Amino acid sequence: MNTIRALIVDDEEPGRANLRYALQDHPGWSIVAECPSVATAREALHAHAVDIIFLDIQMPRETGLALARELSTQTSPPLVIFVTAFNAHAIEAFDLHALDYLLKPFDDQRLAISLERAAAMLKQRQQASYAQAMGHYVKAEDEAKKEQPAYWQQISVRSIGRIECIQLADVLWIEAAGNYMQLHMVQRKVLHRVALSQLEKHLDPASYLRVHRSAIVRCDQFSQLEVLGDGVYQLVLANQDKVPVSERYVAEVRRRMHDGMRPA
């Protein structure tokens, strides 16, 4: 594609300067404007065609989240690379929603990874998918402020150059795979680079149960609990997948199966 047009939004001049100088080493990228606030960013977006926004989260008056909320309602908005100081919750949220981010201070290698991802998504015209993922992120952040946040119904998964929204109602069970989790669906499996424990806290415990340190199963998929040996169990699902069950979860699995077999 042609030159990628970037907008930098950061209330601190050193932050804008760091990105400006770092981008000079990447041919094919140009900065159309630098903005110290969300208000001036809105003006820049009206005045310039923008492909990528480097968006600081913590800014006075309006945070970057306000602009992200607006962009997520657009059909084909610029992609956003969030820029943030270290915050464990923020990083977990970005990972879970397949959004890209740069931690301050970032190094050249991490910036290069973000630029490569962004270029690949632009090439495959994934702005609409990114907007959907960003919308899920903003909604989750808003829900987190409530006393009783809603459980998630979908998850955004990033692969090379694209983002896919997967409905959790289509996921039969979820398996830990190192730093990834694997979503098992009827006809396919999808890897997502997020730890199983990160997603678990957002799942409705009435519908999903942790049955092993490496597995969470949708309760309506329970079919049969098998005893393989002394303290060794496995759960057979409705589709005949077999999932290991830790001894500590056996009683709850049996209770859920018994409750599920009761007549309505």
Side-chain angles (χ1 to χ4, degrees):
M1 62 177 295
N2 297 325
T3 299
I4 298 175
R5 300 156 297 192
L7 174 67
I8 298 174
V9 185
D10 192 325
D11 64 302
E12 297 181 347
E13 198 284 329
R16 300 194 299 273
N18 286 341
L19 268 170
R20 183 194 320 135
Y21 294 136
L23 284 173
Q24 289 177 356
D25 294 331
H26 294 271
W29 286 75
S30 69
I31 300 171
V32 299
E34 297 180 21
C35 302
S37 67
V38 169
T40 55
R42 290 191 186 100
E43 295 175 1
L45 286 168
H46 282 297
H48 303 280
V50 175
D51 301 306
I52 302 285
I53 302 177
F54 292 93
L55 181 60
D56 189 17
I57 293 294
Q58 299 300 327
M59 291 186 287
R61 296 181 183 171
E62 287 185 282
T63 69
L65 190 60
L67 184 58
R69 183 180 291 107
E70 294 170 17
L71 293 172
S72 70
T73 64
Q74 297 181 11
T75 303
S76 186
L79 300 183
V80 173
I81 297 176
F82 292 94
V83 183
T84 181
F86 179 75
N87 179 293
H89 169 72
I91 300 313
E92 176 179 308
F94 295 145
D95 282 338
L96 280 168
H97 293 281
L99 300 176
D100 209 356
Y101 60 89
L102 291 171
L103 283 178
K104 296 180 178 179
F106 57 85
D107 56 31
D108 292 341
Q109 182 179 7
R110 184 63 183 86
L111 175 63
I113 291 172
S114 289
L115 298 184
E116 183 179 353
R117 286 175 177 169
M121 294 193 71
L122 287 171
K123 186 176 180 180
Q124 296 193 31
R125 301 183 183 277
Q126 286 287 297
Q127 290 94 324
S129 296
Y130 200 93
Q132 188 178 33
M134 193 158 56
H136 296 163
Y137 159 69
V138 170
K139 181 179 178 181
E141 289 297 288
D142 290 342
E143 287 286 349
K145 297 174 185 177
K146 299 179 181 179
E147 291 185 8
Q148 294 184 323
Y151 294 112
W152 288 3
Q153 303 300 315
Q154 59 222 343
I155 183 170
S156 299
V157 177
R158 180 174 56 211
S159 58
I160 298 175
R162 65 189 299 266
I163 286 181
E164 179 183 5
C165 177
I166 292 177
Q167 299 298 316
L168 287 171
D170 296 332
V171 178
L172 307 179
W173 65 288
I174 310 165
E175 179 182 17
N179 293 327
Y180 291 78
M181 61 181 177
Q182 186 162 239
L183 307 173
H184 291 254
M185 292 175 280
V186 174
Q187 294 185 341
R188 63 189 183 117
K189 304 173 186 177
V190 175
L191 277 175
H192 188 25
R193 191 178 174 81
V194 171
L196 191 65
S197 57
Q198 289 180 265
L199 178 62
E200 182 181 13
K201 66 187 72 173
H202 300 288
L203 298 176
D204 184 354
S207 300
Y208 301 88
L209 181 66
R210 187 76 171 250
V211 301
H212 191 272
R213 61 182 176 82
S214 66
I216 295 173
V217 180
R218 210 173 75 206
C219 296
D220 62 4
Q221 295 302 303
F222 292 4
S223 177
Q224 182 179 354
L225 181 65
E226 297 181 338
V227 182
L228 302 182
D230 187 15
V232 182
Y233 304 85
Q234 75 175 9
L235 185 62
V236 181
L237 307 189
N239 70 342
Q240 299 304 304
D241 279 359
K242 296 181 179 180
V243 180
V245 178
S246 297
E247 193 168 13
R248 60 181 293 194
Y249 297 112
V250 168
E252 182 61 17
V253 169
R254 283 175 170 154
R255 187 188 73 78
R256 297 284 186 107
M257 292 181 69
H258 178 266
D259 290 347
M261 292 176 183
R262 289 177 179 174

